[in-house]
Amino acid sequence: MGRRLVLGMLGLGAAGVAFAPYLQRGLESFLGSAADKDPTGLTGLLPNGGGFRYYSVASSVPRRTAENYRLTVDGLVRHPAAYTLADLRSLPQTRVVRDVQCVTGWRVPDTPFEGVKLSHLLDAAGVRPQARAIRFTCFDGTYSESLTLTQARRDDVLVALRMQDKPVSHSHGGPVRLYVAPMYFYKSAKWLSGITVTEAVRPGYWEERGYDVDAWVGRSNGRTDTPTV
Amino acid sequence: MRVRRFSRAERWVHRTTAALMLLCIATAAALYVPQLAELVGRRHLVVTVHQWSGLLLPVPFLLGLASRAFRADLRRLNRFAPYDSRWLRAVRRREHGPQARPAGKFNAGQKIYAAWIAGATLVMLGTGLLMWFTGLTPLVWRTSATFVHDWLSLGVGIVVAGHIAMALADPEARRGMRTGWVERQWSRDHHPRWPADE
């Protein structure tokens, strides 16, 4: 009898895996609408409950404010620069509203990001002809990311100062984070502090640990999510 | 007057399994609950600890199979007697006492818990491995495995919390697992059919 129950659980588990795509679709739409009306936020703790999840690879992240935040641009550029928060705010701002898709499965629909186009900073720095890629570093001291130069010049790649029409908060990677609209959200590095133009792509933190370097939503990491762009 | 309930080997199986299970649950919480994730950070380290504690979870059980006492208790857990249905009925009707709730060395609730958590652990292990070694299986499997792993983890968390709450409510049962011995009177009250179960 006990053995039958063990086998029954195994059978249910296998059935769960087999029917997961159907169950998941139903639950996602149900929980998604429930989460909109849930003042307690408890539905956010349920799997696929909607909303952002906090991921950090560092043990603790220092806080940076308008006084001590700097974004450096260096590497294969003619004019290396260091931007303060005020400098970045004074540049032309672009607003992009797309879904956010995490590689672990959660998706947040229609999330506004606003900031300076990365291509604007690259143009101002004067990228040298042999440059092919960008390496991003972060003031958490650990995280890094990468893009090819072509990807970095897209109009929907931002150095974001605002998210959900508020200044980017510390736990969302503020005061300044990267936003790469067409890719899985691990490309949108939080706590951005360095932009280095390089000759070749140097894989970032998660990419050294097995994630795809070209992280197009729906066409990488073995996932079939609806593209965000 | 005391009676022997668990051998040293059995208690070590329980202790190591419990430690690994709590490690799994704690790291899972640190990966999943936003406030805890924010507090702990170190995502790569937490993932590694979670994966290895999960992979090692069945090892104490497998080593325990070398113990005769452990195998004998597994047989008892596997065998459902007619009085087990009476025990379950008494739970539904909220009847208490040894007359209403007859039980052998293990009561019906303990038998169901043991089998359920064993099956759930295997499902968690299987789906966890699918998420870990993504290259081995078709790609859609990972999303499905994640779905089952996420939802079943909620179930496991609730059931293990219930298991711990039951233990907290019964000091003599805890002493049995800690020292291996229980009061004879306690065994007569809670497990009246135990002698016949030997």
Side-chain angles (χ1 to χ4, degrees):
Chain A
M1 178 68 195
R3 195 171 295 140
R4 256 181 279 165
L5 186 50
V6 174
L7 294 174
M9 278 302 292
L10 284 177
L12 275 180
V17 171
F19 292 103
Y22 309 98
L23 294 169
Q24 193 158 22
R25 225 167 295 147
L27 270 169
E28 251 168 37
S29 60
F30 170 71
L31 285 175
S33 53
D36 287 341
K37 300 179 190 84
D38 174 20
T40 63
L42 283 175
T43 43
L45 295 180
L46 292 173
N48 307 313
F52 286 93
R53 295 183 189 281
Y54 175 94
Y55 297 155
S56 166
V57 298
S59 55
S60 70
V61 184
R63 282 170 192 272
R64 292 281 160 85
T65 60
E67 284 71 51
N68 58 5
Y69 177 80
R70 291 291 180 282
L71 174 63
T72 57
V73 181
D74 55 19
L76 301 171
V77 293
R78 274 183 279 273
H79 318 289
Y83 293 88
T84 65
L85 206 49
D87 295 338
L88 291 170
R89 283 182 185 140
S90 67
L91 296 171
Q93 306 288 305
T94 304
R95 189 166 179 270
V96 177
V97 183
R98 301 285 184 192
D99 290 1
V100 165
Q101 176 72 52
C102 177
V103 74
T104 63
W106 52 266
R107 186 180 184 104
V108 182
D110 303 325
T111 308
F113 284 86
E114 200 177 331
V116 184
K117 277 185 199 166
L118 179 56
S119 61
H120 184 95
L121 297 182
L122 294 176
D123 290 344
V127 174
R128 292 184 186 278
Q130 70 271 36
R132 291 289 174 277
I134 318 281
R135 174 173 171 78
F136 302 94
T137 47
C138 305
F139 64 80
D140 70 350
T142 310
Y143 202 69
S144 56
E145 254 308 334
S146 69
L147 286 174
T148 66
L149 198 53
T150 319
Q151 292 163 357
R153 286 195 182 283
R154 287 177 61 112
D155 278 344
D156 49 11
V157 176
L158 304 180
V159 171
L161 309 177
R162 294 170 67 79
M163 173 177 169
Q164 296 171 313
D165 295 319
K166 299 184 294 264
V168 181
S169 68
H170 176 75
S171 61
H172 282 306
V176 177
R177 74 177 299 164
L178 189 65
Y179 174 60
V180 184
M183 295 197 179
Y184 285 105
F185 209 39
Y186 64 86
K187 298 298 285 193
S188 297
K190 301 203 278 191
W191 306 299
L192 182 66
S193 62
I195 298 173
T196 306
V197 180
T198 57
E199 259 180 75
V201 168
R202 195 169 145 204
Y205 181 90
W206 284 122
E207 293 148 22
E208 283 177 345
R209 290 160 179 79
Y211 285 32
D212 286 350
V213 177
D214 294 317
W216 306 106
V217 173
R219 285 188 282 134
S220 64
N221 293 292
R223 297 186 58 93
T224 52
D225 308 286
T226 315
T228 45
V229 170
Chain B
M1 193 55 193
R2 321 210 71 196
V3 283
R4 185 76 166 157
R5 185 154 170 87
F6 294 117
S7 73
R8 180 186 295 268
E10 287 180 293
R11 283 176 287 138
W12 272 106
V13 169
H14 183 264
R15 231 164 262 170
T16 43
T17 305
L20 288 167
M21 180 62 101
L22 288 177
L23 203 52
C24 269
I25 292 174
T27 47
L31 292 172
Y32 215 96
V33 181
Q35 292 80 357
L36 284 177
E38 202 158 342
L39 209 64
V40 177
R42 295 182 176 87
R43 202 163 177 86
H44 184 65
L45 172 71
V46 179
V47 167
T48 308
V49 173
H50 184 75
Q51 288 169 328
W52 282 97
S53 53
L55 193 65
L56 291 174
L57 194 50
V59 171
F61 176 95
L62 295 174
L63 293 177
L65 291 176
S67 147
R68 184 188 302 247
F70 184 70
R71 290 198 307 271
D73 275 351
L74 283 185
R75 272 194 297 277
R76 289 191 187 96
L77 285 167
N78 185 37
R79 198 165 50 223
F80 276 65
Y83 54 73
D84 285 323
S85 0
R86 265 178 57 204
W87 188 94
L88 289 171
R89 215 165 31 240
V91 170
R92 279 200 301 277
R93 295 178 184 162
R94 301 185 197 289
E95 296 164 356
H96 296 272
Q99 296 305 319
R101 295 193 183 187
K105 183 171 181 181
F106 301 106
N107 65 42
Q110 292 167 328
K111 291 178 184 180
I112 290 173
Y113 171 78
W116 188 89
I117 200 74
T121 300
L122 289 175
V123 172
M124 292 303 276
L125 186 64
T127 50
L129 287 171
L130 286 180
M131 292 155 72
W132 190 353
F133 301 102
T134 47
L136 294 181
T137 51
L139 298 165
V140 281
W141 286 33
R142 176 169 63 175
T143 318
S144 301
T146 310
F147 175 79
V148 171
H149 200 83
D150 282 4
W151 280 99
L152 188 55
S153 71
L154 270 185
V156 169
I158 291 166
V159 168
V160 169
H163 177 72
I164 293 170
M166 298 276 201
L168 288 178
D170 190 343
E172 192 59 19
R174 283 207 311 281
R175 190 189 301 179
M177 196 44 98
R178 202 172 59 245
T179 66
W181 297 86
V182 289
E183 288 294 334
R184 183 169 295 273
Q185 192 52 50
W186 177 88
S187 76
R188 282 188 187 131
D189 290 345
H190 293 266
H191 300 276
R193 309 273 180 121
W194 181 1
D197 208 10
E198 284 294 325

